[in-house]
Amino acid sequence: MGKEEQLLEGWRELTPKNQQKVLEFVEALKSQSETKETNKEYIPQTPLGKKLWEIRQRAIASGIKLLNEAEIEQELV
């Protein structure tokens, strides 16, 4: 049995509440992965950019969950 099949089998056995937790965990992992890639590629060029980047890094270090694009759109509604 492949990993995807194992995952689906386990998923089906979870309660809806635990399925939601799994989805949130996956989003957190994706966010961490995107953040690590961004850290390697992005170098702020202006004083404002450097200041904003430092604020973002402190927020990440403190454990604040950064919003993804869809979550930002929800905040704007």
Side-chain angles (χ1 to χ4, degrees):
M1 178 182 307
K3 291 180 182 180
E4 288 183 33
E5 290 85 10
Q6 285 179 314
L7 182 61
L8 285 173
E9 186 177 305
W11 172 266
R12 292 181 183 119
E13 296 173 5
L14 295 174
T15 65
K17 184 177 180 178
N18 284 337
Q19 288 177 347
Q20 183 60 37
K21 288 181 182 179
V22 170
L23 290 174
E24 290 169 5
F25 178 69
V26 169
E27 285 300 317
L29 288 176
K30 285 174 35 181
S31 177
Q32 288 175 358
S33 188
E34 291 168 1
T35 299
K36 287 179 184 174
E37 290 174 13
T38 303
N39 287 345
K40 292 178 185 175
E41 297 173 13
Y42 180 72
I43 299 172
Q45 302 297 308
T46 65
L48 176 59
K50 290 175 184 178
K51 183 174 183 176
L52 292 172
W53 188 252
E54 289 172 8
I55 292 169
R56 182 180 192 275
Q57 296 307 312
R58 285 196 311 264
I60 292 169
S62 72
I64 292 175
K65 181 184 175 284
L66 300 179
L67 301 178
N68 63 31
E69 187 175 347
E71 292 166 330
I72 292 171
E73 287 179 15
Q74 286 178 344
E75 289 288 320
L76 296 174
V77 174

